[in-house]
Amino acid sequence: MERNEIIAQVKQILKTALNHENFEMSETLSATDVDGWDSLSHMIIISKVEKQFSITFKLKELNKMKNMGDMLDLIASKL
């Protein structure tokens, strides 16, 4: 799967989980950049990403993620 496809799917997950579209998807995007992205919505996002891509994140992988670029890289490495 190409990175653009991954980005499009993750962006849709974010829109759904956070219930708004008022953010710019970028490699440097993090939870602090998006209104409503708290710890609960973060777990919802992780769960939806795992389900969408049929992957599972390890706790240490989650702890290393600092932004969307890290998440996209990790998703791509698991596909």
Coordinates of all heavy atoms in Angstrom, one line a residue:
M1 N 0.8 -1.2 0.0 CA 0.0 0.0 0.0 C 0.9 1.2 0.0 O 1.9 1.3 0.7 CB -0.9 0.0 1.2 CG -1.8 1.2 1.3 SD -2.9 1.1 2.8 CE -3.9 -0.3 2.4
E2 N 0.5 2.2 -0.8 CA 1.3 3.4 -0.9 C 1.0 4.4 0.2 O 0.0 4.3 0.8 CB 1.0 4.1 -2.2 CG 1.6 3.4 -3.4 CD 1.5 4.2 -4.7 OE1 1.5 5.4 -4.6 OE2 1.4 3.6 -5.8
R3 N 2.0 5.2 0.6 CA 1.9 6.1 1.7 C 0.7 7.0 1.6 O 0.0 7.3 2.6 CB 3.2 6.9 1.9 CG 3.3 7.7 3.2 CD 4.7 8.2 3.4 NE 4.8 8.9 4.7 CZ 5.2 8.3 5.8 NH1 5.5 7.0 5.8 NH2 5.4 8.9 6.9
N4 N 0.4 7.5 0.4 CA -0.8 8.4 0.2 C -2.1 7.7 0.5 O -3.0 8.3 1.1 CB -0.8 8.9 -1.3 CG 0.2 9.9 -1.6 OD1 0.8 10.5 -0.7 ND2 0.5 10.0 -2.9
E5 N -2.2 6.4 0.3 CA -3.4 5.7 0.6 C -3.4 5.5 2.2 O -4.5 5.7 2.7 CB -3.3 4.3 0.0 CG -3.4 4.2 -1.5 CD -3.2 2.8 -2.0 OE1 -4.2 2.0 -1.9 OE2 -2.1 2.5 -2.5
I6 N -2.3 5.3 2.8 CA -2.3 5.2 4.3 C -2.7 6.5 4.9 O -3.5 6.6 5.8 CB -0.9 4.8 4.8 CG1 -0.5 3.4 4.3 CG2 -0.8 4.8 6.3 CD1 0.9 3.0 4.5
I7 N -2.1 7.6 4.3 CA -2.5 8.9 4.9 C -4.0 9.2 4.7 O -4.6 9.7 5.7 CB -1.7 10.0 4.1 CG1 -0.2 9.9 4.5 CG2 -2.2 11.4 4.4 CD1 0.8 10.8 3.7
A8 N -4.5 8.9 3.6 CA -6.0 9.2 3.4 C -6.8 8.4 4.3 O -7.8 8.9 4.9 CB -6.4 8.8 1.9
Q9 N -6.5 7.1 4.6 CA -7.3 6.3 5.5 C -7.1 6.8 7.0 O -8.1 6.8 7.7 CB -6.9 4.8 5.4 CG -7.3 4.2 4.1 CD -7.0 2.8 3.9 OE1 -7.0 2.0 4.9 NE2 -6.6 2.3 2.7
V10 N -5.9 7.1 7.3 CA -5.6 7.6 8.7 C -6.4 9.0 8.9 O -7.0 9.2 10.0 CB -4.1 7.8 9.0 CG1 -3.9 8.5 10.3 CG2 -3.5 6.4 9.1
K11 N -6.3 9.8 7.9 CA -7.0 11.1 8.0 C -8.5 10.9 8.2 O -9.1 11.6 9.1 CB -6.8 12.0 6.8 CG -7.4 13.4 6.9 CD -7.0 14.3 5.7 CE -7.5 15.7 5.9 NZ -7.1 16.6 4.9
Q12 N -9.1 10.0 7.5 CA -10.5 9.7 7.7 C -10.8 9.2 9.1 O -11.8 9.5 9.7 CB -11.0 8.7 6.7 CG -12.5 8.5 6.7 CD -13.3 9.8 6.5 OE1 -13.0 10.6 5.6 NE2 -14.3 10.0 7.3
I13 N -9.9 8.3 9.6 CA -10.0 7.8 11.0 C -10.0 9.0 12.0 O -10.8 9.1 12.9 CB -8.9 6.8 11.3 CG1 -9.2 5.5 10.6 CG2 -8.9 6.5 12.8 CD1 -8.0 4.5 10.6
L14 N -9.1 9.9 11.8 CA -9.0 11.1 12.7 C -10.2 11.9 12.6 O -10.8 12.4 13.7 CB -7.8 12.0 12.3 CG -6.4 11.3 12.6 CD1 -5.3 12.3 12.1 CD2 -6.2 11.1 14.1
K15 N -10.8 12.2 11.4 CA -12.0 13.0 11.3 C -13.1 12.3 12.0 O -13.9 13.0 12.7 CB -12.4 13.1 9.8 CG -11.5 14.0 9.0 CD -11.9 14.0 7.6 CE -11.1 14.9 6.7 NZ -11.5 14.9 5.3
T16 N -13.3 11.0 11.9 CA -14.3 10.3 12.6 C -14.2 10.3 14.1 O -15.1 10.6 14.9 CB -14.4 8.9 12.1 OG1 -14.6 8.9 10.6 CG2 -15.6 8.1 12.7
A17 N -13.0 9.9 14.6 CA -12.7 9.8 16.0 C -12.8 11.1 16.7 O -13.2 11.2 17.9 CB -11.4 9.1 16.2
L18 N -12.3 12.2 16.1 CA -12.3 13.5 16.7 C -13.5 14.3 16.4 O -13.7 15.4 17.0 CB -11.0 14.2 16.3 CG -9.7 13.5 16.6 CD1 -8.5 14.3 16.0 CD2 -9.5 13.4 18.1
N19 N -14.3 13.9 15.5 CA -15.6 14.5 15.1 C -15.4 15.9 14.6 O -16.2 16.8 14.9 CB -16.6 14.5 16.3 CG -18.0 14.7 15.9 OD1 -18.3 14.3 14.7 ND2 -18.8 15.2 16.7
H20 N -14.3 16.2 13.9 CA -14.2 17.4 13.2 C -13.1 17.3 12.1 O -12.3 16.4 12.1 CB -13.9 18.6 14.1 CG -12.6 18.6 14.7 ND1 -11.4 19.0 14.1 CD2 -12.2 18.3 16.0 CE1 -10.4 18.9 14.9 NE2 -10.8 18.5 16.0
E21 N -13.1 18.3 11.2 CA -12.2 18.3 10.1 C -11.3 19.5 10.1 O -10.5 19.7 9.1 CB -13.0 18.2 8.7 CG -13.8 17.0 8.6 CD -14.5 16.9 7.2 OE1 -14.1 17.6 6.3 OE2 -15.6 16.2 7.2
N22 N -11.2 20.2 11.1 CA -10.5 21.5 11.2 C -9.0 21.2 11.6 O -8.6 21.7 12.6 CB -11.2 22.4 12.1 CG -10.6 23.8 12.0 OD1 -10.0 24.2 11.0 ND2 -10.8 24.6 13.1
F23 N -8.3 20.5 10.8 CA -6.9 20.3 11.1 C -6.2 19.9 9.7 O -6.9 19.4 8.8 CB -6.6 19.2 12.1 CG -7.1 17.8 11.7 CD1 -6.3 16.9 11.0 CD2 -8.4 17.4 12.0 CE1 -6.7 15.7 10.6 CE2 -8.8 16.1 11.6 CZ -8.0 15.3 11.0
E24 N -5.0 20.2 9.6 CA -4.2 19.9 8.4 C -3.4 18.6 8.7 O -2.6 18.6 9.6 CB -3.3 21.1 8.1 CG -2.3 20.8 6.9 CD -2.6 21.6 5.7 OE1 -3.5 22.5 5.8 OE2 -2.0 21.4 4.7
M25 N -3.6 17.6 7.9 CA -2.8 16.4 8.1 C -1.4 16.6 7.6 O -1.2 17.0 6.5 CB -3.5 15.3 7.3 CG -2.8 13.9 7.4 SD -3.1 13.3 9.0 CE -2.8 11.6 8.7
S26 N -0.4 16.4 8.5 CA 1.0 16.5 8.1 C 1.8 15.5 8.9 O 1.3 14.9 9.8 CB 1.5 17.9 8.4 OG 1.6 18.1 9.8
E27 N 3.0 15.3 8.4 CA 4.0 14.4 9.1 C 4.2 14.8 10.6 O 4.5 14.0 11.4 CB 5.3 14.4 8.4 CG 5.2 13.8 6.9 CD 5.1 12.3 6.8 OE1 5.8 11.6 7.6 OE2 4.4 11.8 5.9
T28 N 4.2 16.1 10.8 CA 4.5 16.7 12.2 C 3.3 16.8 13.1 O 3.4 17.2 14.2 CB 5.2 18.0 12.1 OG1 4.4 18.9 11.4 CG2 6.5 17.9 11.3
L29 N 2.1 16.5 12.6 CA 0.9 16.6 13.3 C 0.9 15.7 14.6 O 1.4 14.6 14.5 CB -0.3 16.2 12.5 CG -1.7 16.3 13.2 CD1 -2.1 17.8 13.3 CD2 -2.7 15.5 12.4
S30 N 0.6 16.3 15.7 CA 0.5 15.5 17.0 C -0.8 15.9 17.7 O -1.5 16.8 17.3 CB 1.7 15.8 17.8 OG 1.7 17.1 18.3
A31 N -1.0 15.1 18.8 CA -2.3 15.3 19.6 C -2.4 16.8 20.1 O -3.5 17.3 20.1 CB -2.3 14.4 20.7
T32 N -1.3 17.4 20.4 CA -1.4 18.8 20.9 C -1.8 19.8 19.9 O -2.3 20.9 20.2 CB 0.0 19.2 21.5 OG1 1.0 19.1 20.5 CG2 0.3 18.4 22.7
D33 N -1.8 19.4 18.6 CA -2.1 20.3 17.5 C -3.6 20.3 17.1 O -4.1 21.1 16.4 CB -1.4 19.9 16.2 CG 0.1 20.0 16.4 OD1 0.6 20.9 17.1 OD2 0.9 19.2 15.8
V34 N -4.4 19.3 17.7 CA -5.7 19.1 17.3 C -6.7 19.2 18.5 O -6.5 18.4 19.5 CB -5.9 17.7 16.6 CG1 -7.3 17.5 16.1 CG2 -4.9 17.5 15.5
D35 N -7.6 20.1 18.4 CA -8.6 20.2 19.5 C -9.4 18.9 19.6 O -9.8 18.3 18.7 CB -9.6 21.3 19.1 CG -9.0 22.7 19.2 OD1 -8.0 22.9 19.9 OD2 -9.6 23.6 18.6
G36 N -9.6 18.5 20.9 CA -10.4 17.3 21.1 C -9.6 16.0 21.2 O -10.1 15.0 21.4
W37 N -8.3 16.1 20.8 CA -7.5 14.9 20.8 C -6.9 14.7 22.2 O -5.8 15.2 22.6 CB -6.4 15.0 19.8 CG -5.6 13.7 19.5 CD1 -5.5 12.6 20.3 CD2 -4.9 13.4 18.3 NE1 -4.8 11.7 19.7 CE2 -4.4 12.1 18.5 CE3 -4.6 14.1 17.1 CZ2 -3.6 11.5 17.5 CZ3 -3.8 13.5 16.2 CH2 -3.3 12.2 16.4
D38 N -7.6 14.0 23.0 CA -7.2 13.7 24.4 C -6.8 12.2 24.5 O -6.7 11.5 23.5 CB -8.3 14.1 25.4 CG -9.6 13.4 25.1 OD1 -9.6 12.3 24.4 OD2 -10.6 13.8 25.6
S39 N -6.6 11.7 25.7 CA -6.1 10.4 25.9 C -7.1 9.3 25.5 O -6.8 8.3 24.9 CB -5.7 10.1 27.4 OG -6.7 10.4 28.2
L40 N -8.4 9.6 25.7 CA -9.5 8.7 25.3 C -9.6 8.6 23.8 O -9.6 7.5 23.2 CB -10.8 9.1 25.9 CG -12.0 8.2 25.5 CD1 -11.7 6.7 25.9 CD2 -13.3 8.7 26.2
S41 N -9.6 9.8 23.2 CA -9.7 9.8 21.7 C -8.4 9.2 21.1 O -8.5 8.6 20.0 CB -10.0 11.2 21.1 OG -9.0 12.1 21.5
H42 N -7.3 9.3 21.7 CA -6.0 8.7 21.3 C -6.2 7.2 21.2 O -5.8 6.6 20.2 CB -4.9 9.1 22.1 CG -3.5 8.7 21.6 ND1 -2.9 9.3 20.6 CD2 -2.7 7.7 22.0 CE1 -1.8 8.7 20.3 NE2 -1.6 7.7 21.1
M43 N -6.7 6.6 22.2 CA -6.9 5.2 22.3 C -7.9 4.7 21.2 O -7.8 3.7 20.6 CB -7.3 4.7 23.7 CG -6.2 4.9 24.7 SD -4.6 4.3 24.2 CE -4.9 2.6 23.9
I44 N -8.9 5.5 21.0 CA -9.9 5.2 19.9 C -9.2 5.2 18.6 O -9.4 4.4 17.7 CB -11.1 6.2 20.0 CG1 -11.9 6.0 21.3 CG2 -12.0 6.1 18.7 CD1 -12.9 7.0 21.6
I45 N -8.4 6.2 18.3 CA -7.7 6.4 17.1 C -6.8 5.1 16.9 O -6.8 4.5 15.8 CB -6.9 7.7 17.0 CG1 -7.8 8.9 16.9 CG2 -5.9 7.6 15.9 CD1 -7.2 10.2 17.2
I46 N -6.0 4.8 17.9 CA -5.1 3.6 17.8 C -5.9 2.4 17.5 O -5.5 1.6 16.6 CB -4.3 3.4 19.1 CG1 -3.4 4.6 19.4 CG2 -3.5 2.1 19.1 CD1 -2.3 4.8 18.3
S47 N -7.0 2.2 18.2 CA -7.8 1.0 18.0 C -8.4 0.9 16.5 O -8.4 -0.1 15.9 CB -9.0 1.0 19.0 OG -9.9 -0.1 18.7
K48 N -8.9 2.1 16.0 CA -9.4 2.1 14.7 C -8.3 1.9 13.6 O -8.6 1.3 12.6 CB -10.1 3.5 14.4 CG -11.4 3.6 15.2 CD -12.1 4.9 14.9 CE -13.4 5.1 15.6 NZ -14.5 4.4 14.9
V49 N -7.1 2.5 13.9 CA -6.0 2.2 12.9 C -5.7 0.8 12.9 O -5.5 0.2 11.8 CB -4.8 3.1 13.3 CG1 -3.5 2.7 12.6 CG2 -5.1 4.6 13.0
E50 N -5.6 0.1 14.1 CA -5.2 -1.3 14.1 C -6.3 -2.1 13.3 O -5.9 -3.0 12.6 CB -5.1 -1.8 15.5 CG -3.9 -1.3 16.3 CD -3.8 -1.8 17.7 OE1 -4.9 -1.9 18.4 OE2 -2.7 -2.0 18.2
K51 N -7.5 -1.8 13.5 CA -8.6 -2.5 12.9 C -8.6 -2.3 11.4 O -8.7 -3.2 10.6 CB -10.0 -2.1 13.5 CG -11.1 -2.9 12.9 CD -12.4 -2.6 13.6 CE -13.5 -3.4 13.0 NZ -14.8 -3.1 13.7
Q52 N -8.5 -1.0 11.0 CA -8.5 -0.6 9.5 C -7.4 -1.3 8.8 O -7.6 -1.8 7.6 CB -8.3 0.9 9.4 CG -8.2 1.4 8.0 CD -9.5 1.3 7.2 OE1 -10.6 1.5 7.8 NE2 -9.5 1.1 6.0
F53 N -6.2 -1.4 9.3 CA -5.0 -2.0 8.6 C -4.7 -3.4 9.0 O -3.8 -4.0 8.5 CB -3.8 -1.1 8.8 CG -4.0 0.3 8.2 CD1 -4.3 1.4 9.0 CD2 -3.8 0.5 6.9 CE1 -4.4 2.7 8.5 CE2 -3.9 1.7 6.3 CZ -4.2 2.8 7.1
S54 N -5.5 -4.0 9.9 CA -5.3 -5.4 10.4 C -3.9 -5.5 10.9 O -3.2 -6.5 10.6 CB -5.6 -6.4 9.3 OG -6.9 -6.3 8.8
I55 N -3.5 -4.6 11.8 CA -2.2 -4.7 12.5 C -2.4 -4.5 14.0 O -3.5 -4.2 14.4 CB -1.3 -3.5 11.9 CG1 -1.9 -2.2 12.2 CG2 -1.0 -3.7 10.5 CD1 -1.0 -1.0 11.8
T56 N -1.3 -4.8 14.7 CA -1.3 -4.6 16.2 C -0.1 -3.8 16.5 O 1.0 -4.2 16.1 CB -1.4 -5.9 16.9 OG1 -2.5 -6.6 16.4 CG2 -1.4 -5.7 18.4
F57 N -0.2 -2.8 17.3 CA 0.9 -2.0 17.9 C 1.3 -2.6 19.2 O 0.5 -3.0 20.0 CB 0.5 -0.6 18.1 CG 0.2 0.2 16.8 CD1 -1.0 0.8 16.6 CD2 1.1 0.3 15.8 CE1 -1.4 1.5 15.5 CE2 0.8 1.0 14.6 CZ -0.4 1.6 14.5
K58 N 2.6 -2.7 19.4 CA 3.2 -3.0 20.7 C 3.2 -1.7 21.6 O 3.4 -0.6 21.0 CB 4.5 -3.6 20.6 CG 4.5 -4.9 19.8 CD 5.9 -5.5 19.7 CE 5.9 -6.8 18.9 NZ 7.2 -7.2 18.5
L59 N 3.2 -1.9 22.9 CA 3.2 -0.7 23.8 C 4.4 0.1 23.6 O 4.4 1.3 23.5 CB 3.1 -1.2 25.2 CG 3.0 -0.1 26.3 CD1 1.9 0.9 26.0 CD2 2.9 -0.6 27.7
K60 N 5.6 -0.5 23.4 CA 6.8 0.2 23.2 C 6.8 1.0 21.9 O 7.4 2.1 21.8 CB 8.1 -0.6 23.4 CG 8.4 -1.6 22.2 CD 9.7 -2.3 22.5 CE 10.1 -3.1 21.3 NZ 11.3 -3.8 21.5
E61 N 6.1 0.5 20.9 CA 6.0 1.2 19.6 C 5.1 2.4 19.8 O 5.4 3.5 19.3 CB 5.3 0.3 18.5 CG 6.2 -0.9 18.1 CD 5.5 -1.9 17.2 OE1 4.3 -2.0 17.3 OE2 6.2 -2.5 16.4
L62 N 4.0 2.3 20.6 CA 3.1 3.4 20.8 C 3.9 4.5 21.6 O 3.7 5.7 21.3 CB 1.9 3.0 21.6 CG 1.0 2.0 20.9 CD1 -0.1 1.5 21.8 CD2 0.3 2.7 19.7
N63 N 4.7 4.1 22.6 CA 5.4 5.1 23.4 C 6.5 5.8 22.6 O 6.8 7.0 22.9 CB 6.1 4.4 24.5 CG 5.1 3.9 25.6 OD1 4.1 4.5 25.7 ND2 5.5 2.9 26.3
K64 N 7.0 5.3 21.5 CA 8.0 5.9 20.6 C 7.4 6.9 19.7 O 8.1 7.8 19.2 CB 8.8 4.9 19.9 CG 9.7 4.1 20.7 CD 10.6 3.2 19.9 CE 11.5 2.4 20.7 NZ 12.3 1.4 19.9
M65 N 6.1 6.8 19.4 CA 5.4 7.7 18.4 C 5.3 9.1 19.0 O 4.8 9.3 20.0 CB 4.0 7.2 18.1 CG 4.0 6.1 17.0 SD 2.3 5.8 16.4 CE 1.8 4.5 17.4
K66 N 5.8 10.0 18.2 CA 5.8 11.4 18.6 C 4.8 12.3 17.7 O 4.4 13.3 18.1 CB 7.2 12.0 18.6 CG 8.1 11.4 19.6 CD 9.4 12.1 19.6 CE 10.5 11.6 20.6 NZ 10.3 10.4 21.2
N67 N 4.6 11.8 16.5 CA 3.7 12.5 15.6 C 3.2 11.6 14.5 O 3.5 10.4 14.5 CB 4.5 13.7 14.9 CG 5.8 13.2 14.3 OD1 5.8 12.2 13.6 ND2 6.9 14.0 14.4
M68 N 2.4 12.1 13.6 CA 1.8 11.3 12.5 C 2.8 10.7 11.6 O 2.6 9.6 11.1 CB 0.8 12.2 11.7 CG -0.4 12.5 12.5 SD -1.3 11.1 13.2 CE -1.7 10.1 11.9
G69 N 3.9 11.3 11.4 CA 5.0 10.7 10.6 C 5.4 9.4 11.1 O 5.6 8.4 10.4
D70 N 5.6 9.4 12.5 CA 6.0 8.2 13.2 C 5.0 7.1 13.0 O 5.3 5.9 12.8 CB 6.3 8.4 14.6 CG 7.5 9.3 14.9 OD1 8.4 9.4 14.0 OD2 7.6 9.8 16.1
M71 N 3.7 7.5 13.2 CA 2.6 6.5 13.0 C 2.5 6.0 11.6 O 2.4 4.8 11.4 CB 1.3 7.1 13.4 CG 0.1 6.1 13.3 SD -1.5 6.8 13.6 CE -1.5 6.5 15.4
L72 N 2.6 6.8 10.6 CA 2.6 6.4 9.2 C 3.7 5.5 8.9 O 3.5 4.5 8.2 CB 2.6 7.6 8.3 CG 1.4 8.6 8.4 CD1 1.6 9.8 7.7 CD2 0.1 7.9 8.0
D73 N 4.9 5.8 9.4 CA 6.1 4.9 9.2 C 5.8 3.5 9.8 O 6.1 2.5 9.2 CB 7.3 5.5 9.8 CG 7.8 6.7 9.0 OD1 7.4 6.9 7.9 OD2 8.6 7.5 9.6
L74 N 5.3 3.5 11.0 CA 5.0 2.2 11.7 C 4.0 1.4 11.0 O 4.1 0.2 10.8 CB 4.6 2.5 13.2 CG 4.5 1.3 14.1 CD1 5.8 0.5 14.1 CD2 4.1 1.8 15.5
I75 N 2.9 2.1 10.6 CA 1.8 1.4 9.8 C 2.5 0.8 8.5 O 2.2 -0.4 8.3 CB 0.7 2.3 9.4 CG1 -0.1 2.8 10.7 CG2 -0.3 1.6 8.4 CD1 -1.0 3.9 10.4
A76 N 3.2 1.5 7.8 CA 3.8 1.1 6.5 C 4.7 -0.1 6.8 O 4.8 -1.1 6.0 CB 4.6 2.2 5.9
S77 N 5.5 -0.1 7.9 CA 6.4 -1.2 8.2 C 5.6 -2.5 8.6 O 6.2 -3.6 8.4 CB 7.3 -0.8 9.4 OG 6.6 -0.8 10.6
K78 N 4.4 -2.4 9.0 CA 3.6 -3.6 9.4 C 2.8 -4.1 8.2 O 2.2 -5.2 8.4 CB 2.7 -3.2 10.6 CG 3.5 -3.0 11.8 CD 2.6 -2.7 13.0 CE 3.4 -2.6 14.3 NZ 3.7 -3.9 14.8
L79 N 2.7 -3.4 7.1 CA 1.9 -3.9 6.0 C 2.7 -4.7 5.0 O 3.9 -4.6 4.9 CB 1.3 -2.7 5.2 CG 0.3 -1.8 6.1 CD1 -0.2 -0.7 5.2 CD2 -0.9 -2.7 6.5

